[in-house]
């Protein structure tokens, strides 16, 4: 029972991580220090896609499901729960581009907000 709960909790954590990869730049609009966490998460997400790595959370979920007497993921997390479920497999590259566009847009918006908030230095006043 505990391993099934662990597997399900890992699956939820994985979904939350993916949501943070996609939307974390917007979180930094409200909490600017979150950008460092998002940069790390986005870099990891990019490495997973580019180098076709398995996330450690996938290994944890597989391990827990195996201990619970269930079959593990036959494919990666995204291939199991998202591709072909949330969007057709033929649109995988378009979805990846859309995610990249969302991240870039969130960073552009964050940069704009930072520039607007930056204290402006006034030119020294000349007396005379």
């Amino acid at each position: 029972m505990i391993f099934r709960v662990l597997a399900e909790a890992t699956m939820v954590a994985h979904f939350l991580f993916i949501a943070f990869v996609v939307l974390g730049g917007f979180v930094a609009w409200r909490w600017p220090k979150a950008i460092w966490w998002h940069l790390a998460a986005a870099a990891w997400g990019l490495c997973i896609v580019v180098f076709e790595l398995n996330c450690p959370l996938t290994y944890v979920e597989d391990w827990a499901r195996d201990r619970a007497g269930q079959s593990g993921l036959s494919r990666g997390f995204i291939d199991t729960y998202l591709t072909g479920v949330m969007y057709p497999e033929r649109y995988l590259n378009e979805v990846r581009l859309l995610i990249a566009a969302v991240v870039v847009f969130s960073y552009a918006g964050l940069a704009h907000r930072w520039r607007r908030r930056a204290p402006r230095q006034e030119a020294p006043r000349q007396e005379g």
Side-chain angles (χ1 to χ4, degrees), residues 2-21:
I2 189 72
F3 291 110
R4 182 173 181 187
V5 170
L6 178 60
E8 298 299 321
T10 305
M11 179 186 63
V12 169
H14 220 148
F15 275 115
L16 291 172
F17 177 79
I18 290 171
F20 185 67
V21 167

Side-chain angles (χ1 to χ4, degrees), residues 62-112:
D62 278 344
W63 175 83
R65 289 199 187 284
D66 182 55
R67 297 296 182 283
Q70 300 175 330
S71 60
L73 303 179
S74 60
R75 306 174 297 165
F77 180 87
I78 291 174
D79 294 333
T80 300
Y81 294 114
L82 298 176
T83 304
V85 177
M86 300 291 286
Y87 52 87
E89 189 170 350
R90 68 180 178 270
Y91 293 122
L92 177 61
N93 289 329
E94 288 84 353
V95 169
R96 287 176 175 173
L97 286 172
L98 178 62
I99 290 168
V102 168
V103 171
V104 167
F105 178 78
S106 71
Y107 286 0
L110 183 62
H112 176 72

Side-chain angles (χ1 to χ4, degrees), residues 40-81:
W44 178 247
L46 183 63
C47 286
I48 287 173
V49 170
V50 171
F51 300 114
E52 298 180 7
L53 303 174
N54 278 331
C55 180
L57 290 171
T58 302
Y59 292 119
V60 172
E61 184 179 347
D62 278 344
W63 175 83
R65 289 199 187 284
D66 182 55
R67 297 296 182 283
Q70 300 175 330
S71 60
L73 303 179
S74 60
R75 306 174 297 165
F77 180 87
I78 291 174
D79 294 333
T80 300
Y81 294 114

